[in-house]
Amino acid sequence: MMGLKSINRIFLSIAAIAVVFAFLIWAQGNLDAYKVRILNLCAINIILTLSLNLTNGFTGLFSLGTAGFMAVGAYVSALLTMSPEVKAMNFFMVPINPALAHLNAPFIVALILAGLISALVGFLIGAPVLKLKGDYLAIATLGFGEIISVIFTNTQTITNGALGLKGIPQYTNLYWSWGTAIVVILGLITLLNSSYGRAFKAIREDEIAAQAMGVNLFYHKVLSFSLSAFIAGIGGALLANLISTIDPTMFRFFLTYQILLMVVLGGMGSITGSCISAFIMTVIMELLRVVESPMNLGFINIPGIPGMRMVVFAVILIVVVLFMRQGIMGEKEITWDMLLRKGAGRHESSGS
Amino acid sequence: MSLLEVKNITIKFGGLTAVSDFSLSLEKGEIVGLIGPNGAGKTTAFNAITGIYRPVSGSVHFNGTDITGMLPDKITKLGIARTFQNIRLFSNLSVLENVLVAHHLRLKSSFAAAMMRLPGYLREENAMRKEALELLESVRLTKFANEKAGSLPYGQQRRLEIARALATHPRILLLDEPAAGMNPKESQELMEFIGEIRDEFDLSIFMIEHHMQVVMGVCERILVLDHGVTIAEGNPAEIQGNQKVIEAYLGVEMDA
């Protein structure tokens, strides 16, 4: 019985992934560049939201370092994928470190290295900082994000400083972004439903009790934090190879704040919630460009106000915190079992 | 050599000595009680044994190993499990998951194996689930297996906390006020339950309890703590007749 049920679920998951890819193939060919770009951003935001939810929602570590890890991933991938000629053009003020000048790797290698180096940085930061709890951890990780951006502004031979990097090859397409997103989603589902996932959740629920039950706090916190950094690094790399221009000011606190909103809106501790909210928020962020453009309401002319989107954004966050503290999903997940049960229920009611 | 040997531990918080010169030796299969008025330092002594506090002097030996100042998870791994005075379950996890968390310390597969659901991991996970369900059966919580732990009635939560501690495969179980807030019927059941698990899981039990009926009924030996000092030690009858103990609980009678 159990075997059949799980085979059914696997079959349904494969079918769903096939449907998603069929849609992506269609989208890549038929949608205009703007819409494809938004779809890419959706996938990248799903990846980043899941990364932050792993620490904040599932392990109870209030971390705000996402932007910093993204920066590490973005720069690693950019330096690995840019050709030597483009690099030479970029580094016209201060020449590039010769060790990096001729470095070149295929995109897949660049992505994995971006994740690994980001995870390494996560480990180095996490090991001392994860002794802190609650607000203190938030402030320390936030500080880390800012420090990374300052460091990248000053390491001119490696990052080209404040000038940033331009002409990063645009390798990120729908297959890369959604393919990565699906791998991340599946990986997190299996991890969080495993014994390790239970240990993470136990730490979130009650650290002292978890430790008294034999959960090694240090190991599991650092593991969760480094994995989160790994995923954020890959997200940053995909972003760099999508927008092709990066500079240190891009990876400031606002970016983390945006991802945090998606996590809170989706529900801390819900994978499906994160996916839904990241998708919806990305689309809404684009739709909200309307409020920044000049408007003619007939009786009054409103000039375009740049930054108006962020005001709307802040209002959404306040409303969520006041009225929907659990977010869209709370800690619940949409599972195949649940969908099948609902479907079966509908059949019964229509039959009677 | 006793299973647990606590030698002259002293615990201080700043200038306050919470426990001074506390000693205990717990033999295999024994049930020992620790009583004393509020604030006597009972839980502090517990916390020093389980590694939450580090004593300023003295030592704790378990089965011949020095565990003084070890981290709580290491101590649990060696075989000392505990429950808490104010129940500390993982309220948003299911009853079964609560017990499964306690199995995690014996997991051999790496997180990558767990993530990729490799056969080695799945075998461990299945064995873990089977054992956890058996444990729930033996503490009569099977029907609540998929309920959230926080939604259980109080008495069942206490029982689940003990089950969770048992899942770590302890040799010594420390119970911090297991009968707190229980009505007479529930505490009667608890007494029987403690006796049962001692025999079934081959345990030594060290418990803090205020409920005198429970302590006198279940413990073979009792230690009395007052203001951090051990004022008496003996079997229930000796403790009941001890003048110092009566004074500690009821106060000294003043001659008018």
Side-chain angles (χ1 to χ4, degrees):
Chain A
M1 273 276 295
M2 271 311 273
L4 195 68
K5 231 179 165 183
S6 65
I7 287 168
N8 263 338
R9 274 193 298 248
I10 292 170
F11 177 74
L12 280 169
S13 305
I14 293 172
I17 293 169
V19 169
V20 169
F21 268 90
F23 171 74
L24 293 179
I25 292 167
W26 174 82
Q28 191 82 50
N30 293 296
L31 290 181
D32 59 53
Y34 177 60
K35 288 189 180 118
V36 168
R37 189 192 171 96
I38 294 173
L39 277 177
N40 273 318
L41 281 174
C42 282
I44 293 171
N45 280 333
I46 286 175
I47 294 166
L48 296 169
T49 306
L50 287 173
S51 146
L52 195 61
N53 208 346
L54 174 62
T55 49
N56 295 31
F58 286 100
T59 323
L61 305 168
F62 204 92
S63 152
L64 294 173
T66 308
F69 296 124
M70 282 173 69
V72 174
Y75 272 92
V76 168
S77 174
L79 288 170
L80 284 174
T81 51
M82 285 162 80
S83 66
E85 297 77 44
V86 179
K87 278 182 197 164
M89 269 161 63
N90 265 293
F91 289 80
F92 59 87
M93 297 281 283
V94 181
I96 187 168
N97 187 323
L100 298 171
H102 296 284
L103 219 53
N104 214 307
F107 192 37
I108 180 87
V109 177
L111 278 183
I112 292 171
L113 272 178
L116 286 177
I117 293 176
S118 180
L120 178 70
V121 174
F123 173 78
L124 294 175
I125 300 296
V129 155
L130 288 171
K131 292 213 184 329
L132 304 172
K133 282 173 197 162
D135 312 352
Y136 300 100
L137 178 64
I139 291 167
T141 48
L142 181 63
F144 153 74
E146 296 297 303
I147 289 167
I148 285 283
S149 108
V150 173
I151 290 177
F152 282 11
T153 311
N154 289 289
T155 49
Q156 281 167 299
T157 56
I158 301 170
T159 60
N160 204 21
L163 291 169
L165 296 174
K166 291 174 191 69
I168 304 166
Q170 291 180 293
Y171 289 141
T172 304
N173 55 25
L174 288 177
Y175 308 126
W176 279 110
S177 60
W178 282 93
T180 313
I182 287 170
V183 169
V184 168
I185 292 169
L186 292 179
L188 283 182
I189 288 175
T190 52
L191 179 69
L192 292 168
N193 285 318
S194 78
S195 192
Y196 285 90
R198 285 192 295 268
F200 289 164
K201 290 178 209 164
I203 294 173
R204 171 192 72 193
E205 294 288 314
D206 191 325
E207 224 176 278
I208 292 172
Q211 194 175 27
M213 291 304 121
V215 175
N216 183 334
L217 291 184
F218 180 74
Y219 175 78
H220 287 89
K221 284 181 175 183
V222 170
L223 176 65
S224 167
F225 197 72
S226 307
L227 269 178
S228 165
F230 179 82
I231 300 169
I234 290 182
L238 284 169
L239 188 67
N241 289 81
L242 176 72
I243 59 180
S244 87
T245 305
I246 53 174
D247 68 79
T249 55
M250 246 178 77
F251 304 98
R252 299 295 296 276
F253 177 57
F254 182 75
L255 196 57
T256 307
Y257 165 71
Q258 200 175 322
I259 305 296
L260 183 66
L261 174 59
M262 293 178 192
V263 171
V264 173
L265 188 72
M268 305 267 268
S270 170
I271 295 175
T272 27
S274 282
C275 297
I276 294 170
S277 83
F279 193 96
I280 293 176
M281 283 309 298
T282 312
V283 174
I284 288 181
M285 283 293 281
E286 287 305 318
L287 294 179
L288 279 178
R289 286 193 191 279
V290 173
V291 301
E292 286 185 2
S293 57
M295 273 182 284
N296 186 355
L297 298 178
F299 57 96
I300 187 169
N301 266 321
I302 303 171
I305 312 164
M308 195 59 196
R309 277 196 303 165
M310 302 310 146
V311 176
V312 178
F313 208 65
V315 171
I316 295 176
L317 184 59
I318 292 169
V319 170
V320 167
V321 168
L322 281 179
F323 300 108
M324 295 175 53
R325 224 162 276 178
Q326 294 285 306
I328 300 172
M329 297 294 298
E331 269 175 34
K332 294 187 201 69
E333 300 285 358
I334 297 175
T335 59
W336 288 123
D337 288 350
M338 197 173 126
L339 293 176
L340 290 175
R341 227 176 303 134
K342 276 217 172 129
R346 207 169 298 140
H347 269 286
E348 276 162 33
S349 62
S350 67
S352 63
Chain B
M1 172 105 211
S2 314
L3 191 55
L4 181 70
E5 191 81 55
V6 181
K7 277 193 206 128
N8 311 89
I9 55 169
T10 297
I11 302 146
K12 289 183 180 175
F13 299 116
L16 178 83
T17 306
V19 172
S20 74
D21 233 10
F22 178 79
S23 293
L24 160 81
S25 64
L26 187 66
E27 306 296 333
K28 199 166 175 298
E30 245 190 329
I31 302 185
V32 176
L34 179 62
I35 64 170
N38 288 328
K42 304 181 294 292
T43 300
T44 308
F46 250 49
N47 285 343
I49 296 172
T50 56
I52 294 180
Y53 300 143
R54 194 194 173 96
V56 287
S57 65
S59 69
V60 185
H61 285 262
F62 169 70
N63 209 11
T65 323
D66 187 359
I67 59 166
T68 324
M70 248 189 209
L71 284 174
D73 52 293
K74 298 282 175 307
I75 292 176
T76 308
K77 225 169 178 169
L78 286 173
I80 302 180
R82 69 171 294 177
T83 65
F84 293 91
Q85 186 174 356
N86 36 0
I87 304 177
R88 284 176 174 270
L89 287 172
F90 309 122
S91 329
N92 285 315
L93 302 187
S94 74
V95 169
L96 180 62
E97 284 175 317
N98 265 273
V99 177
L100 286 171
V101 167
H103 279 90
H104 184 65
L105 66 140
R106 283 188 304 279
L107 188 78
K108 288 191 186 69
S109 304
S110 68
F111 79 92
M115 206 179 208
M116 290 181 278
R117 304 183 135 260
L118 295 183
Y121 169 74
L122 289 180
R123 218 170 319 151
E124 278 191 281
E125 168 86 18
N126 285 335
M128 203 186 258
R129 274 181 189 271
K130 191 162 161 272
E131 203 188 319
L133 284 169
E134 279 167 14
L135 184 63
L136 286 181
E137 181 74 51
S138 73
V139 297
R140 298 188 287 284
L141 285 171
T142 309
K143 61 175 173 181
F144 301 112
N146 294 316
E147 303 281 327
K148 270 192 179 181
S151 70
L152 289 186
Y154 187 78
Q156 315 280 19
Q157 290 198 11
R158 285 267 173 220
R159 200 180 274 263
L160 174 58
E161 221 193 5
I162 296 175
R164 188 179 67 174
L166 290 174
T168 64
H169 291 189
R171 299 187 59 192
I172 297 177
L173 185 58
L174 304 187
L175 303 173
D176 197 345
E177 295 198 29
M182 284 189 172
N183 60 35
K185 185 172 163 284
E186 284 174 324
S187 42
Q188 183 63 39
E189 281 174 9
L190 182 81
M191 278 163 63
E192 288 161 15
F193 181 62
I194 291 174
E196 274 170 35
I197 57 170
R198 188 255 313 253
D199 300 336
E200 194 181 333
F201 296 91
D202 197 18
L203 292 170
S204 310
I205 293 174
F206 183 43
M207 60 189 274
I208 295 176
E209 189 48 73
H210 274 302
H211 209 296
M212 284 307 149
Q213 206 190 337
V214 174
V215 182
M216 299 300 168
V218 82
C219 295
E220 289 142 5
R221 196 149 57 86
I222 296 168
L223 272 79
V224 189
L225 214 57
D226 187 28
H227 296 292
V229 183
T230 314
I231 57 168
E233 183 176 353
N235 64 37
E238 286 167 3
I239 296 297
Q240 272 168 334
N242 189 308
Q243 196 55 38
K244 273 189 181 167
V245 177
I246 295 168
E247 280 171 14
Y249 270 91
L250 302 177
V252 185
E253 201 174 321
M254 302 289 274
D255 288 326

